[in-house]
Amino acid sequence: MEQPEISKLSIDTIRGLAMDAVQKADSGHPGTAMALAPLAYTIFKRFLAVDPRETQWPDRDRFVLSSGHACVLQYSLLHLTGYELSLDDLQQFRQWGSRTPGHPERGHTPGIEVTTGPLGQGFANAVGMAMAERFLSERFNRPGQTPVDHHTYAICSDGDLMEGVSQEAASIAGHFGLGKLVVCYDDNRITIDGSTTISFDGENHTARLEADGWHVQRVEDSEDLDALEAALAAGRDEAERPSFISIRSHIAYPAPHAVDTAASHGAALGEEEVRATKEAMGFDPDRHFWVDERVYEHMSLRDSGAKARAQWQQRFGAWREQAPPALAEDWSRAWAGGLRDGWRETLPKFEAGEKLATRAAGQQAMAAFAGHAPTMIGGAADLVESTKTLFEGAGEFSKVHAGRNVPFGIREHAMGAIVNGAAAHGGIVKPYGSTFLMFSDYMRGSVRLSALMGLPVVWVWTHDSVGLGEDGPTHQPIEHYASLRAIPKLWVIRPGDANETSQAWRMALEREDGPVALLLSRQGVETLDRAELGAAEELERGGYVLWDSGDAAAAPELILISTGAEVPLTLQAARKLAGEGETKVRVVSMPCIELFEAQTQEYRDQVLPPASTARLAVEPGASMSWWKWVGSGGDVLGIDRFGASAPGTRVLEELGFTVENIAARAGALLERKG
């Protein structure tokens, strides 16, 4: 059907901006943006309830471009619809310091909900957003009063569907019946390496999503605005199932020579092809970044967005007037990312001498603050009995009830991306995911993105060493401490006893600008006597003096540094060494290197005096984390090999994590120094 003139002009303007931005940068992905211009136009113009002037109002629709390589499409839409993104910003596409980076980045560009680019992540983020909407609507809505009632729209590509994370997410979205989720699939049949016939023609994508429990539609022509609008409307109106719309498109359309070519996927079209395409669209080929004023007027969402937001504010005002005061307060706290007052005082304190796995101490901490975090949701990858991350009595998230405990199933990667999506949605305070530390590998892409986005999420990883025992090296983390610490902005906390675990949860709940990972033990760990040692609250500094054998003001001759379940062993070894001679020994608990690095140089030097060069770090993982802190005169008792299958205590003993061996390694340092 012939497009109305203004619609065609608007769509071609999007294409023109996409071509010009990529051509000027000589870098980018123009073809997908050109092909999807009609779809994106229809979503933004006909369906998306957003306000470009108030980008964070709670009940706005969410839009996720999972195929983030096509970000110039989204940037063009944001500019044309009235967001604070200028033509100059488009002209600075992919340049240093610009607001239009090479893939969408949350917090960097107005209107970008999540950072996308690693394929499949945005798809799963959208599932997390839909789950957040479901949970919050069930918690806050009342008959006739709906402060939470919006949709999540996403565009995905062949690459998104090929990545396993999207299948994990699609499976759980169908299982939960997330009817407020609409995903549009760009079926352009082109990847970087060529036609999808070489890698992705062996399955029926629509049948797969239908089998996952999705409402599935097919649009045969991406240029047919009526068909697109009808399919999107049907997807929006489907309340019981998530919706998947497969759309046949032609990459780089209407470029005369680049259409349906792999070359148009990831490179500028070239000046001659851009000219030819503009001529085919009826544009002046000598004009660059040109927008007809009529397009701005037609595409602006400022008035309609302000109206939608005003209508919501009216609904919200009526709800707040009648809502119980406690519920209204919970709403305000949830959207501010905070907990109910007094939560810190609920955190448990543990008696000295009790032997308790730090995962069990974490369970008690969660039980203590649970009532203060009513919109905190999360769960485990089919390991909740092992990770002990269940909110007792808070219900299970399912198709019929949005409880706080999410049974993610064995879907670690999707779990991570879904948790990120829930956090990015807002209103969900400190969402979390948990599994064995070993399987953080399966969710690493999502964890990295949580740090890149600065999302306040919590990763709870238990069975944090070879001490988990008989399951053997396939389940025993070795390189994981170091590899996770290498992720910028991720705080990795490995608490040394039950009281440090309680404080680790405090830090996780207090942090507002990024993720926190808690590494917790399977085996029992002695609860230290804080009357004789440094206070567990000092964990907030990342590392602190746990014990000195003599005058604390004097520089120690030997420093032992440790984390996690090995802290009590290290303390015993230090006391043994101090009792055998005149050596002044210090024990430093360093549960979080990132927090310790954030302290002043003066504080770090107080804990680790530069003159005290005999230092031994003790941690049952890759030694590379510690050489910075022990220096050339120090040593590391770590594990730079894989583990073994045997009872956990035997494995630790065989690999040298005993009081006797710690003392011997430390004693050797003193002898070498002498």
Side-chain angles (χ1 to χ4, degrees), residues 280-553:
M281 296 189 306
F283 283 21
D284 182 346
D286 293 316
R287 278 181 166 175
H288 305 290
F289 296 96
W290 175 74
V291 182
D292 189 302
E293 287 299 322
R294 291 174 297 168
V295 172
Y296 283 127
E297 183 180 353
H298 172 68
M299 291 198 63
S300 175
L301 297 179
R302 289 190 171 187
D303 290 343
S304 62
K307 181 179 179 182
R309 183 167 56 86
Q311 290 172 342
W312 172 78
Q313 286 175 325
Q314 189 174 12
R315 296 200 322 269
F316 177 71
W319 171 84
R320 190 167 195 121
E321 220 173 80
Q322 298 183 40
L327 191 65
E329 288 173 10
D330 281 345
W331 172 280
S332 298
R333 289 193 189 94
W335 289 100
L339 281 68
R340 291 173 180 168
D341 295 342
W343 67 267
R344 291 176 183 82
E345 290 73 21
T346 71
L347 291 174
K349 294 184 179 179
F350 299 89
E351 293 295 324
E354 181 181 4
K355 202 163 188 181
L356 190 67
T358 54
R359 62 171 175 157
Q363 179 182 38
Q364 293 189 39
M366 289 184 68
F369 68 70
H372 293 263
T375 65
M376 182 178 185
I377 67 173
D382 199 49
L383 286 169
V384 73
E385 291 298 321
S386 295
T387 62
K388 300 188 180 300
T389 49
L390 183 76
F391 285 126
E392 292 289 346
E396 226 172 42
F397 197 106
S398 69
K399 187 176 289 190
V400 297
H401 171 55
R404 295 175 62 184
N405 297 300
V406 182
F408 286 107
I410 308 164
R411 303 182 180 96
E412 290 91 349
H413 200 174
M415 174 177 71
I418 287 168
V419 167
N420 286 345
H425 177 278
I428 305 296
V429 177
K430 304 293 180 183
Y432 67 90
S434 67
T435 185
F436 290 178
L437 176 56
M438 178 70 212
F439 303 124
S440 64
D441 282 346
Y442 282 175
M443 53 193 298
R444 186 180 176 87
S446 303
V447 173
R448 184 178 189 272
L449 282 169
S450 73
L452 182 59
M453 287 189 267
L455 294 175
V457 302
V458 186
W459 307 119
V460 184
W461 292 315
T462 66
H463 297 59
D464 71 339
S465 79
V466 294
L468 75 83
E470 292 87 346
D471 280 331
T474 62
H475 282 52
Q476 293 168 355
I478 298 293
E479 72 279 16
H480 298 72
Y481 309 145
S483 69
L484 291 167
R485 287 168 179 151
I487 298 176
K489 294 177 64 177
L490 175 66
W491 291 359
V492 180
I493 306 179
R494 186 170 185 252
D497 74 345
N499 284 309
E500 275 196 7
T501 304
S502 190
Q503 293 304 308
W505 262 113
R506 174 174 70 88
M507 298 306 297
L509 295 174
E510 286 181 347
R511 188 177 187 194
E512 298 177 353
D513 62 350
V516 177
L518 305 181
L519 279 50
L520 307 178
S521 74
R522 177 197 186 194
Q523 71 270 36
V525 180
E526 177 191 351
T527 302
L528 302 174
D529 187 351
R530 297 293 169 167
E532 302 175 358
L533 304 168
E537 287 77 6
E538 290 294 294
L539 176 140
E540 68 185 11
R541 296 175 179 265
Y544 64 98
V545 177
L546 182 69
W547 179 77
D548 270 314
S549 65
D551 181 7

Side-chain angles (χ1 to χ4, degrees), residues 525-655:
V525 180
E526 177 191 351
T527 302
L528 302 174
D529 187 351
R530 297 293 169 167
E532 302 175 358
L533 304 168
E537 287 77 6
E538 290 294 294
L539 176 140
E540 68 185 11
R541 296 175 179 265
Y544 64 98
V545 177
L546 182 69
W547 179 77
D548 270 314
S549 65
D551 181 7
E557 298 171 74
L558 174 67
I559 301 176
L560 305 184
I561 310 167
S562 191
T563 76
E566 286 61 53
V567 171
L569 290 179
T570 303
L571 179 61
Q572 291 178 50
R575 284 174 163 157
K576 182 176 186 293
L577 285 166
E580 290 174 350
E582 300 296 321
T583 305
K584 183 178 185 314
V585 184
R586 170 174 292 180
V587 176
V588 171
S589 176
M590 197 179 290
C592 183
I593 289 175
E594 296 80 23
L595 283 171
F596 187 68
E597 287 181 315
Q599 305 307 306
T600 65
Q601 186 66 51
E602 180 183 12
Y603 175 77
R604 294 199 301 268
D605 287 348
Q606 287 173 5
V607 176
L608 301 174
S612 303
T613 58
R615 304 175 184 179
L616 175 68
V618 180
E619 185 178 68
S623 61
M624 62 188 298
S625 292
W626 294 104
W627 293 106
K628 173 180 179 178
W629 304 106
V630 301
S632 59
D635 189 16
V636 178
L637 173 55
I639 304 177
D640 292 309
R641 50 154 285 182
F642 292 117
S645 180
T649 53
R650 178 67 182 273
V651 177
L652 286 163
E653 289 169 2
E654 291 288 342
L655 295 177

Side-chain angles (χ1 to χ4, degrees), residues 22-256:
V22 174
Q23 194 63 40
K24 187 173 188 295
D26 195 23
S27 175
H29 301 260
T32 299
M34 295 166 68
L36 291 183
L39 171 64
Y41 165 84
T42 304
I43 291 174
F44 273 70
K45 180 64 182 170
R46 305 298 183 198
F47 291 89
L48 212 57
V50 294
D51 185 350
R53 287 194 179 98
E54 293 289 343
T55 61
Q56 296 302 307
W57 64 287
D59 203 39
R60 68 191 182 279
D61 286 337
R62 271 59 169 183
F63 174 76
V64 176
L65 183 66
S66 190
S67 43
H69 55 274
C71 58
V72 71
L73 169 69
Q74 190 170 9
Y75 297 152
S76 299
L77 265 293
L78 293 173
H79 168 69
L80 295 173
T81 55
Y83 285 81
E84 294 299 323
L85 198 68
S86 68
L87 267 181
D88 184 62
D89 289 323
L90 291 179
Q91 293 182 51
Q92 296 303 308
F93 179 55
R94 289 193 163 210
Q95 303 308 300
W96 180 269
S98 79
R99 303 174 81 196
T100 49
H103 287 83
E105 294 183 27
R106 174 181 170 84
H108 191 77
T109 310
I112 300 298
E113 300 282 1
V114 287
T115 298
T116 58
L119 291 171
Q121 288 285 331
F123 186 112
N125 293 157
V127 172
M129 291 178 173
M131 288 176 63
E133 196 277 346
R134 164 77 66 78
F135 177 84
L136 293 170
S137 64
E138 186 171 312
R139 174 160 185 80
F140 290 108
N141 289 355
R142 295 293 181 269
Q145 296 181 322
T146 54
V148 183
D149 184 14
H150 57 266
H151 286 75
T152 298
Y153 297 91
I155 293 177
C156 74
S157 64
D158 294 311
D160 291 289
L161 292 191
M162 283 190 244
E163 292 286 359
V165 61
S166 67
Q167 177 53 37
E168 292 180 24
S171 173
I172 200 167
H175 178 74
F176 288 152
L178 300 177
K180 294 287 190 71
L181 174 62
V182 180
V183 175
C184 299
Y185 164 48
D186 172 29
D187 182 15
N188 64 29
R189 302 182 188 177
I190 293 292
T191 65
I192 292 175
D193 283 349
S195 166
T196 54
T197 57
I198 66 174
S199 61
F200 197 48
D201 265 8
E203 69 171 44
N204 184 326
H205 321 313
T206 53
R208 167 157 64 103
L209 271 292
E210 191 169 18
D212 281 328
W214 289 56
H215 170 246
V216 174
Q217 301 175 81
R218 173 75 176 173
V219 174
E220 292 297 340
D221 180 4
S222 61
E223 298 296 306
D224 187 340
L225 296 188
D226 290 339
L228 290 172
E229 186 167 351
L232 285 162
R236 178 198 58 197
D237 295 342
E238 168 60 48
E240 303 300 323
R241 295 171 291 171
S243 287
F244 181 79
I245 306 171
S246 177
I247 301 160
R248 177 68 172 110
S249 69
H250 296 272
I251 196 167
Y253 180 86

